[in-house]
């Protein structure tokens, strides 16, 4: 693979393509001209690489993921410089929230890059198959971006032409989902496998495959079945798409499998895991990921910093076992105190906590020194960059989506649904699920299982917050936070969340982030209600 060539491509694309500060406000000078581009296969590839580049950038910092702090699995500091995630954490988001603005801008940038390919790829003097692949990649990432945005902002302005228009109206949530489904169905004819780098790297596909699209369709159909559309019939379609992937794996057509040990899911040593269904590999991004690898270290460790703690109640309720030990630090290493290992709730002899933050600490993004697997008994890597893959969808999730969707669609779990959830539970060190559960009981168990699988992984396509949105549990999460009752984390030791909710009155507006004030000022048709 010619990395030098790819890096040169991205330098050019970053400088010339889709330069903008917001969705509506941009300076068109210096952008690539559609009339003198797409003259070769190499230029078509460049346009696709730029989409991957912008997709990677949309996951480089926690700002773009701040909405996920509405989930009941993560929380943040009550002070410091954590205002953006703290506003989501307390369900009180301002229209100048940095995280909301960054999310809006970064994902619309992906959409613009995708539109550029969709509208112009056919001009390329190449084969129909190559054009299909390029357009399929673009339509997938456009659909993915709208899927992110619609669950955070609700109604959106639809951009399918890249023309500057300060009068674009908002379209309904249903219309956004219609476009997402249309794009994904078009992308479903992508190949199941690629042969050459950079489309396939270290044995895994970096380009989007048909099975990745099917898995994403399952996630989207599940979202449509729940809040706010509440079209329960989509659970059957979600189950069908997930089953197509599972059947393809069982037939040896699709090369997915569960990692035998949960600790390897996010590990550097398993960066090219066969469990990753949709991932962002660093093939297109100079071989580095981002600050995400340190954002969960927080101040709990010497020299640490970050945005995410584990919520105490969620941590308390997660079953013990290898999954929990891999998601949270089993103990915290105090390098400055002779490498002493303590529990996050431990107290010194004088009654003060060893860890002033007094919260469970995630370790899923943390790296060991020298870009190695993280070992909580040793110091961590304080370098900001590495080649860590973002796992947006994992095969364990496809199994759980089938289990939940099938049970909700048919009213009772079938044998395959039990098999799927029990495979995931077995790896987590849990017993098989009780037989004879009702459809709702089983589906709720699958929902909880998915929450434990993705706990703290706020860049997942379907986060805990997304699950709570779909199942109308965000209000319950809000009310529990507003009450903020002390939780007994060890015999006689109680802890509470640090982010307090002052206005405890619930309303539906708290579910979504307001559209950024900068764009609203340019387009009066997208004002927040």
């Amino acid at each position: 693979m010619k990395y030098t060539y790819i890096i040169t491509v991205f330098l050019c694309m970053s400088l010339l393509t889709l330069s903008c500060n917001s969705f509506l406000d941009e300076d068109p000078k210096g952008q690539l001209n559609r009339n003198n581009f797409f003259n070769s296969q190499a230029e078509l590839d460049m346009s696709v690489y730029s989409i991957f580049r912008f997709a990677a950038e949309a996951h480089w910092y926690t700002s773009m993921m701040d909405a996920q702090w509405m989930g009941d699995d993560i929380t943040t500091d009550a002070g410091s410089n954590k205002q953006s995630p703290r506003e989501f954490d307390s369900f009180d988001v301002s229209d100048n929230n940095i995280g909301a603005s960054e999310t809006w801008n970064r994902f619309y940038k992906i959409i613009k890059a995708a539109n550029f390919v969709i509208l112009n790829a056919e001009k390329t003097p190449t084969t129909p198959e190559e054009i299909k692949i390029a357009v399929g990649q673009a339509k997938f990432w456009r659909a993915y971006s709208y899927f992110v945005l619609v669950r955070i902002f609700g109604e959106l302005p639809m951009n399918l032409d890249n023309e500057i228009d300060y009068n674009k109206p908002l379209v309904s949530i249903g219309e956004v989902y219609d476009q997402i489904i249309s794009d994904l169905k078009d992308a479903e004819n992508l190949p199941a496998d690629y042969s050459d780098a950079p489309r396939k790297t270290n044995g895994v596909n970096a380009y989007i495959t048909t099975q990745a699209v099917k898995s994403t369709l399952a996630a989207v159909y599940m979202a449509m079945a729940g809040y706010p559309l509440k079209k329960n019939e989509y659970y059957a379609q979600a189950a069908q798409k997930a089953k197509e992937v599972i059947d393809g794996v069982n037939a040896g057509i699709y090369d997915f499998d569960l990692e035998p040990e949960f600790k390897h899911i996010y590990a550097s040593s398993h960066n090219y895991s066969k469990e990753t269904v949709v991932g962002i590999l660093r093939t297109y991004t100079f071989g580095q990921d981002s600050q995400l690898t340190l954002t969960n270290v927080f101040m709990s460790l010497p020299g640490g910093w970050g945005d995410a703690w584990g919520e105490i109640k969620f941590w308390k309720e997660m079953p013990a076992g290898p999954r929990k030990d891999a998601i949270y630090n089993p103990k915290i290493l105090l390098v400055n105190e002779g490498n002493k290992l303590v529990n996050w709730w431990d107290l010194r002899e004088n009654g003060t906590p060893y860890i002033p933050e007094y919260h469970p600490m995630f370790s899923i993004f943390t790296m060991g020194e020298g870009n190695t697997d993280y070992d909580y008994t040793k110091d961590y890597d304080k370098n900001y960059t590495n080649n860590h893959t973002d796992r947006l969808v994992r095969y364990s999730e496809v199994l759980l989506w089938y289990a939940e969707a099938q049970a909700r669609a048919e009213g009772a779990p079938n044998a395959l649904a039990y098999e799927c959830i029990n495979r995931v539970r077995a790896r987590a060190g849990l017993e098989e699920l009780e037989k004879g559960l009702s459809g709702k009981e089983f589906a709720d168990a699958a929902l909880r299982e998915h929450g434990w699988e993705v706990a703290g992984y706020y860049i997942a396509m379907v986060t805990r917050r997304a699950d709570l949105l779909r199942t109308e549990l965000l209000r319950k999460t809000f009310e529990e936070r507003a009450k903020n009752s002390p939780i007994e984390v060890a015999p006689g030791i109680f802890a509470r969340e640090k982010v307090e909710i002052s206005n405890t009155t619930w309303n539906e507006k708290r579910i979504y982030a307001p559209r950024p004030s900068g764009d609203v000022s340019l387009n009066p048709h997208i004002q927040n209600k």
Side-chain angles (χ1 to χ4, degrees):
M1 181 167 50
K2 299 179 180 178
Y3 286 102
T4 303
Y5 171 74
I6 293 174
I7 290 173
T8 302
V9 165
F10 280 126
L11 288 173
C12 294
M13 295 299 285
S14 297
L15 290 170
L16 299 179
T17 307
L18 308 167
S19 173
C20 65
N21 291 320
S22 73
F23 164 46
L24 295 174
D25 188 14
E26 64 178 30
D27 180 2
K29 297 189 295 295
Q31 293 186 25
L32 289 175
N33 187 325
R34 69 188 69 180
N35 296 319
N36 58 26
F37 201 64
F38 296 98
N39 292 316
S40 66
Q41 178 64 45
E43 291 185 350
L44 181 62
D45 289 341
M46 288 167 62
S47 67
V48 174
Y49 296 160
S50 71
I51 300 173
F52 281 90
R53 167 74 176 190
F54 295 138
E57 287 181 352
H59 299 83
W60 274 4
Y61 307 106
T62 48
S63 297
M64 288 77 82
M65 307 299 145
D66 284 351
Q68 310 316 321
W69 268 248
M70 285 183 174
D72 62 0
D73 58 331
I74 52 179
T75 187
T76 191
D77 198 328
S80 185
N81 62 345
K82 313 305 176 191
Q83 180 177 347
S84 178
R86 189 165 58 245
E87 288 184 1
F88 282 101
D89 206 16
S90 58
F91 289 76
D92 189 14
V93 185
S94 62
D95 63 2
N96 63 353
N97 179 279
I98 294 174
S101 296
E102 281 291 300
T103 303
W104 180 274
N105 293 337
R106 297 278 186 171
F107 283 95
Y108 269 116
K109 183 180 283 191
I110 300 172
I111 290 167
K112 289 180 180 183
N115 288 344
F116 188 65
V117 175
I118 294 166
L119 297 171
N120 298 289
E122 288 190 353
K123 299 174 183 177
T124 311
T126 189
T127 66
E129 179 67 14
E130 286 294 338
I131 292 174
K132 182 188 80 171
I133 290 172
V135 173
Q137 303 303 306
K139 288 198 171 183
F140 174 86
W141 287 108
R142 182 168 72 179
Y144 167 72
S145 297
Y146 276 122
F147 190 38
V148 171
L149 292 168
V150 75
R151 290 175 296 166
I152 294 175
F153 296 98
E155 296 177 334
L156 298 169
M158 187 69 70
N159 175 21
L160 303 177
D161 53 23
N162 281 355
E163 298 299 326
I164 299 175
D165 183 359
Y166 297 141
N167 293 300
K168 281 187 181 292
L170 292 173
V171 302
S172 70
I173 291 174
E175 289 176 285
V176 177
Y177 273 106
D178 288 344
Q179 182 61 49
I180 292 170
I181 294 297
S182 175
D183 277 348
L184 290 175
K185 284 184 175 180
D186 288 347
E188 202 172 0
N189 66 358
L190 284 166
D193 195 21
Y194 299 93
S195 57
D196 300 323
R199 298 180 183 187
K200 188 167 186 175
T201 301
N202 292 309
V204 297
N205 290 300
Y207 264 34
I208 298 300
T209 60
T210 182
Q211 57 268 33
V213 178
K214 291 178 185 293
S215 301
T216 303
L217 275 166
V220 173
Y221 282 136
M222 290 186 75
M224 296 173 73
Y227 182 89
L229 300 183
K230 299 184 181 181
K231 295 184 177 181
N232 193 70
E233 64 270 20
Y234 280 113
Y235 277 122
Q237 295 190 52
Q240 176 187 335
K241 285 301 168 187
K243 188 174 185 297
E244 288 177 16
V245 177
I246 295 167
D247 288 346
V249 171
N250 292 339
I253 300 171
Y254 305 146
D255 194 16
F256 297 139
D257 200 359
L258 295 184
E259 286 286 350
E261 297 184 75
F262 194 94
K263 69 179 182 179
H264 290 146
I265 284 177
Y266 305 120
S268 295
S269 61
H270 291 62
N271 210 28
Y272 302 99
S273 170
K274 295 295 180 67
E275 184 163 340
T276 302
V277 177
V278 179
I280 299 177
L281 277 64
R282 300 301 148 184
T283 303
Y284 307 96
T285 56
F286 314 117
Q288 67 181 50
D289 84 336
S290 69
Q291 294 178 359
L292 287 177
T293 46
L294 285 185
T295 49
N296 288 330
V297 170
F298 229 106
M299 286 73 79
S300 303
L301 294 179
W305 61 275
D307 302 327
W309 285 319
E311 280 214 19
I312 299 167
K313 182 175 183 292
F314 190 91
W315 167 87
K316 175 79 172 178
E317 293 177 350
M318 182 184 288
R323 178 172 57 191
K324 188 170 186 177
D325 287 345
I327 291 174
Y328 304 95
N329 273 37
K331 287 184 179 290
I332 296 175
L333 181 70
L334 301 180
V335 178
N336 293 351
E337 298 191 35
N339 290 335
K340 185 173 185 176
L341 285 166
V342 300
N343 297 306
W344 63 263
W345 64 85
D346 280 346
L347 302 176
R348 299 177 186 273
E349 291 183 1
N350 63 5
T352 61
Y354 281 100
I355 311 300
E357 289 72 31
Y358 221 55
H359 273 78
M361 195 185 92
F362 289 118
S363 57
I364 51 178
F365 289 109
T366 313
M367 311 293 293
E369 289 188 303
N371 197 21
T372 58
D373 293 357
Y374 177 60
D375 179 349
Y376 74 93
T377 68
K378 301 176 182 177
D379 204 0
Y380 66 97
D381 197 335
K382 300 177 178 64
N383 188 8
Y384 286 72
T385 61
N386 58 69
N387 64 351
H388 196 265
T389 294
D390 295 333
R391 285 86 162 171
L392 304 186
V393 177
R394 303 195 335 260
Y395 187 55
S396 66
E397 297 181 82
V398 178
L399 296 174
L400 293 173
W401 292 338
Y402 173 77
E404 181 187 346
Q406 182 277 322
R408 294 198 192 279
E410 299 184 23
N414 62 21
L416 178 58
Y418 266 103
E419 179 185 331
C420 288
I421 194 171
N422 285 333
R423 283 192 66 189
V424 177
R425 287 176 62 85
R427 183 177 63 180
L430 305 179
E431 296 179 352
E432 290 190 352
L433 207 59
E434 176 187 353
K435 296 289 187 182
L437 294 176
S438 69
K440 183 180 186 308
E441 289 171 333
F442 183 92
D444 288 347
L447 176 69
R448 287 193 300 273
E449 204 71 45
H450 183 263
W452 295 329
E453 277 288 303
V454 299
Y457 201 68
Y458 41 80
I459 60 175
M461 184 181 293
V462 182
T463 60
R464 178 63 175 168
R465 184 250 182 207
D467 276 343
L468 297 178
L469 170 68
R470 169 173 62 87
T471 54
E472 298 186 82
L473 292 173
L474 282 178
R475 178 173 183 172
K476 179 182 177 183
T477 299
F478 169 84
E479 290 171 346
E480 287 178 346
R481 286 187 176 173
K483 190 180 299 183
N484 199 12
S485 301
I487 297 171
E488 188 172 23
V489 298
I493 299 178
F494 293 82
R496 298 173 54 179
E497 302 299 341
K498 288 196 171 184
V499 175
E500 299 276 0
I501 294 178
S502 55
N503 182 355
T504 59
T505 302
W506 171 260
N507 64 68
E508 294 293 308
K509 290 182 180 180
R510 291 183 181 272
I511 291 175
Y512 295 110
R515 290 174 284 277
S517 58
D519 279 61
V520 171
S521 68
L522 292 169
N523 183 355
H525 300 289
I526 66 170
Q527 288 188 19
N528 298 297
K529 297 178 182 178

